[in-house]
Amino acid sequence: MSTEAIPAEKPKRNYNALFGLTLLALLVLLWVILSLSTSSFASANNISNLLRQGSMIAILAVGQTFVIITGGIDLSVGAVVGFATVIAAMLINAGIPVFLAILMTLLVGVAIGLFHGFGIVKMGLPPFIITLATLTSLRGIGLLMTNGNSISINNDAFQEFSRNSFLGVPNLFWMVILVGIPAYIFLHHSRWGRYLFSVGSNAEASRLSGVNVQRTIYMAYTLSGLCAAFVGVLLASRIGIGNPTQAEGWELQAIASSVIGGTSLFGAVGSVHGPLLGAFILATINNGANLLNVNAFWQRIITGALIIIIVYFDGLRRRGSK
Amino acid sequence: MTSTAQDLHPAPVLEPGRTILELRGLEKRYPGTHALKPVNLAFKSGEIHAIVGENGAGKSTLIKLLTGVMPRTSGEVIWEGQPAALATPHEAMALGINAVHQEVVLCRHLTVAANMFLGEENSRFGILQQRAMVKEAQKIIDDLGFDLPAHVTLGDLTIGQQQLIAAARATVRGTKFLIFDEPTAYLTRKEADQLFTLIRRLKGEGVTIIYISHRMEEVFELADRVSVLRDGTLVGTRNIAETNDAELVKMMINRSIEQIYHKEHFTPGAAILESRNLSGKGFENVSMTVRAGEIVGLYGLIGAGRSEFVTTLYGRHRKSAGQILWEGKPVQINSEHDAIKLGMALAPESRRDQGLCLNLSVGLNLNLPIYKRISNNLLISNAQERTQADRQIADLRIKTPTRSALASSLSGGNQQKIVIGKWLAHGARLFIFDEPTVGVDVGTKAEIYRLFSVLLSKGAGIILISSYLPEVYELADTLHVFRRGKLVATHGFRTADHEEILTQALAEKQEKLGEQI
C-alpha cells in the first residue's frame, strides 16, 4: 500500500445489519409497550394471530424487494394473490391432488412474472405500467372465470393447514421462514443476488461487465410473481375460498414493508430481513391499534406517518454516513 | 418582471485592474480534513485568473466557498471593499458571483429560452411572454456569436452546446465575477473556441473570470494569471507570461513532467487481436494488429470512427465486412458477452454512466465480472470474494478505506482503477481504453499511465483511444491515425512529429493546426 493518508471517514460497516437491528429494536419496543398497556397482547392466542396476519405480507414484501432492488416495482402482487386463490380453488375442487394444484398455481405466478419481464425487457414498457396493467386485468380475468362469485374450497385438509401450528408456531409463520432463508441466501450469498444489486445500480455498467441484465430482470419479476402466487395459496387455505377481489391493496402494504425495511425505491439498496421486519412492524401496529380500540381509520394514518418517519430517518443516516 | 437585452448585460464597464474580490486567510475544515488552508489572494476586475491543481487540491472547496454553497471555517472575503459573508448561493448571486459547472445543471426538457430565463421569467399579468423571451434569448445568443436556436428543447442540443447555453445564461444576470469549472471537458474544439470568445468578451467588459481546468494549453491560451493549489495550500500565483507548463506541473504535483508519461518498452509478443479489412457503421476497411506487451494508439478527431471501430470489435455493433482474429484464429463476436469471454475488456469513456455501479461497494464492483468464477452453482465463496477484491486494491493501489466503501466515495482516478481492476481479475488480455484521462488530474493521469505498464508487463495488449495527442504520442508503440472512418496513417513510437500527425487527422483544415495540440 502507498504511504499516502487514507481518507479519514469511517466506512459504514455492515450498514444493513445495523439497520436491521434498529428495526428489530423498534419491533421489540412496540411489543413491550403493547404488552404493558394491554392485557391481551401478550397472550399466546394474540401472538399467533399477529404472526398469521404479518406472514403473508412479509412473503409478498420479499418478492417485491427483489424487484425494487433492480430499480423496478411490482404493483400486480395483490391481484396475483387474488387470482391465485381462484386458480387454487378451481384446481382443488376439480379433484386434482392438493400438492399438484399448489404446484400449478405457483407456475401461474411464474408465468405472470415472466410476462412482466417480457413487457419490460422486450417491449420496453416501464415496470410501473406493465404491472399496473396486469393488476387490473388479472382481477378482470378472475371475475370472468368465477362469474363474480366466490368459490368455496371443499377440502378440509387444505384449509386446516393455515390454522394449525407446528412446535407452537403457526404454520403460516413457518412459511415465512421457508421463503426467507432461501431468499436470504439467494440475495446475499449468490451471484444472482449480486447481479440484482448491480443492475439496480447501473444496468449499463453491469451489461458491460458481462452480466446478463435481461435475465436478471426476468428473474426478479418471476420471483415476485412466484412469492405472490404462494401467498395466494396460503390465503386460499386461510379463508377457504377462491375470490379474485381478495388481497385488495396488498401490493401497497408489501411496498410499504419493503421500504420500512430499508429498501431504496431508487434501487440497489435492500435486504431480506428488512422487509420481513417491516411487515411485522406494520402487522403489530394494526394489531395493537385494534387492541387499544383505536379507530380503524386512524390505523391507516399511523401507518402512513410511520412510513414517512422511518424512511426519513433512514435517509438522514445514509446521508450522514457518506 | 420585464427586462430587455440591454439591462441584462452588465451595462457599465467595470474599471479594469481594480481589486474586486480579496480573500484574507480563507480557510475550510471538514471533520478530519483540512480542505483549504488559509488562502490570501486578490482577484482584479477584468482578469482571467486560472486555478490549477490536482483533484482534491482544494479547487472545488474554493469554488463552493465563493459561491456560497458552503460556509467557510474562518477568514474574510472582501467584495468591492466591503466584507461579505457569502453564506448562501443567493447572496453570492446578488453580489454578481456566478459559476458555470462542468456538468450542465439546467432543465433538459425545457427550451433554450426557458432555461436562459429560468427563475427570472418575463411575464405580464402572470402569463409568460414566451415569444418575447425566445426573441430576447435569440438576441443574446446571436450577440455572443453562438449559432444556436433559442426555441428548441435544451436536451436536443449536444452537451457542448448545452454548456455554451449555460455560459450564456450566466452572462445575462449582472455577473461581475464568473467561475468556469472545467467548462471544456465535453466540448469539441469549435465549441471551445466559441466559449473562449465569450470569455474574452466578458473580460473586455470588466468581468473577472476564474477559469479552472486540467488542460494546460487552455490555461496558457486564456489566462492572465494562474494560481496553483496543492493539498489545500495555495502554492503560488504567476503571471502567465512569466511561467511555463513545466513549472506549473511541478508546482501542482511536486514532480517533473517527464515523470508523467512514464513509458516502458516491452518486447511485443504474439498477436492477440487482428482486424482484417474490417468495416462497419462509421468506419471502413480497417486493418491492424495488437500484440502482447504493446500499446496501440488510435488518434483522430471525435467522430473519426475510432470509437465505432472499437465498439464493433467489442461486439456492440455488427461488422459489415472483414474478419477479426483472436490469438490467430478467426472469431465471431456477436455480443459484448462474446468479447468478454474471449478476454477483451473495455474501459468506457464515461466512467459514471457505463463503468461503475457507484452506489455499491468497491468490492462488488471489482468482482462483478468474475462472480461466476468465485461461486459454485449456488453460493459465492465469501473468502474468495474478499481476497480477490483485496488483491486488486493492493495491486493497483486503489485508495479506499475498505473494500466495502461505496465506489462513489472514491476519487475519479481511483474509480478508473476499479474499472481496470475488475478486468484484471477477470483475466482479460486486451484492454481498450476510450479516453481514459478525460477530467482526470495530472497526478492521477501519471498513475493511470503507470497502470498501462503493469498491464503490459502481465502480457496484455492495450488499445488506447485519445483525442489528446500528447497522450497517444508519448505512450503508443504503434499510432494509427483515423480520419472520417478510415485509417489514414500508421506510425511507430515517436516516429512522426505532432504536426505531421495532426495534418493527417485533419487533412484540409491546416489553419487549425496550432490550436489543436
Side-chain angles (χ1 to χ4, degrees), chain A residues 20-53:
Chain A
L21 278 182
T22 318
L23 282 181
L24 191 62
L26 178 65
L27 188 59
V28 170
L29 184 73
L30 283 173
W31 285 4
V32 170
I33 291 172
L34 287 170
S35 312
L36 294 178
S37 56
T38 68
S39 52
S40 44
F41 180 81
S43 69
N45 206 3
N46 185 57
I47 295 290
S48 307
N49 201 14
L50 172 78
L51 292 180
R52 284 196 189 99
Q53 283 170 357

Side-chain angles (χ1 to χ4, degrees), chain A residues 189 194 201-202 205 207 209, chain B residues 336 354 356 359 380 385 422:
Chain A
H189 292 281
R194 295 289 196 280
S201 174
N202 189 336
R207 195 174 63 88
S209 301
Chain B
E336 283 145 342
Q354 304 171 343
L356 285 175
N359 56 353
I380 294 169
E385 191 180 21
K422 69 178 180 187

Side-chain angles (χ1 to χ4, degrees), chain A residues 55-77 113 116 176 179-180 183-184 186-187 196 216-231 251 254-255 257-258 263 271-273 275-276 279:
Chain A
S55 292
M56 288 190 272
I57 297 294
I59 295 170
L60 279 187
V62 169
Q64 184 71 253
T65 300
F66 291 152
V67 168
I68 297 179
I69 286 174
T70 67
I73 192 117
D74 189 347
L75 294 178
S76 74
V77 291
H116 289 150
V176 176
V179 172
Y184 177 84
F186 172 81
L187 187 64
L196 288 178
T216 308
I217 288 172
Y218 269 111
M219 193 172 63
Y221 286 88
T222 305
L223 288 173
S224 180
L226 178 63
C227 283
F230 184 56
V231 171
E251 60 280 349
I255 293 167
S257 302
S258 186
T263 315
S271 64
V272 168
H273 51 268
L276 293 182

Side-chain angles (χ1 to χ4, degrees), chain B residues 193-204:
Chain B
D193 279 338
Q194 291 183 328
L195 184 71
F196 292 171
T197 310
L198 166 66
I199 289 175
R200 291 202 182 93
R201 177 185 170 143
L202 290 171
K203 169 192 154 92

Side-chain angles (χ1 to χ4, degrees), chain A residues 148-259:
Chain A
N149 302 320
S150 291
I151 304 169
S152 313
I153 298 169
N154 35 30
N155 185 317
D156 291 340
F158 178 67
Q159 294 181 49
E160 255 165 38
F161 174 79
S162 64
R163 296 192 199 117
N164 287 347
S165 296
F166 177 66
L167 299 178
V169 175
N171 281 348
L172 281 181
F173 188 76
W174 283 114
M175 292 303 107
V176 176
I177 295 171
L178 185 78
V179 172
I181 289 175
Y184 177 84
I185 293 171
F186 172 81
L187 187 64
H188 295 293
H189 292 281
S190 84
R191 63 192 161 99
W192 302 111
R194 295 289 196 280
Y195 294 164
L196 288 178
F197 285 102
S198 83
V199 167
S201 174
N202 189 336
E204 177 69 3
S206 306
R207 195 174 63 88
L208 290 176
S209 301
V211 173
N212 191 330
V213 174
Q214 302 198 346
R215 196 153 64 189
T216 308
I217 288 172
Y218 269 111
M219 193 172 63
Y221 286 88
T222 305
L223 288 173
S224 180
L226 178 63
C227 283
F230 184 56
V231 171
V233 171
L234 298 181
L235 182 65
S237 157
R238 182 137 199 244
I239 59 178
I241 56 171
N243 184 327
T245 60
Q246 284 296 321
E248 190 95 52
W250 283 21
E251 60 280 349
L252 297 183
Q253 290 192 49
I255 293 167
S257 302
S258 186
V259 167

Side-chain angles (χ1 to χ4, degrees), chain B residues 341-378:
Chain B
K341 257 206 313 229
L342 283 174
M344 279 194 224
L346 177 72
E349 184 179 355
S350 160
R351 247 184 339 265
R352 295 192 154 253
D353 295 344
Q354 304 171 343
L356 285 175
C357 297
L358 282 171
N359 56 353
L360 295 176
S361 71
V362 173
L364 194 150
N365 274 290
L366 283 169
N367 284 321
L368 199 50
I370 59 164
Y371 272 119
K372 208 170 219 165
R373 204 172 72 212
I374 61 173
S375 56
N376 57 24
N377 285 328
L378 186 63

Side-chain angles (χ1 to χ4, degrees), chain A residues 102-112 226 229:
Chain A
I102 292 174
L103 197 71
M104 287 164 76
T105 310
L106 295 184
L107 283 178
V108 170
V110 168
I112 293 167
L226 178 63

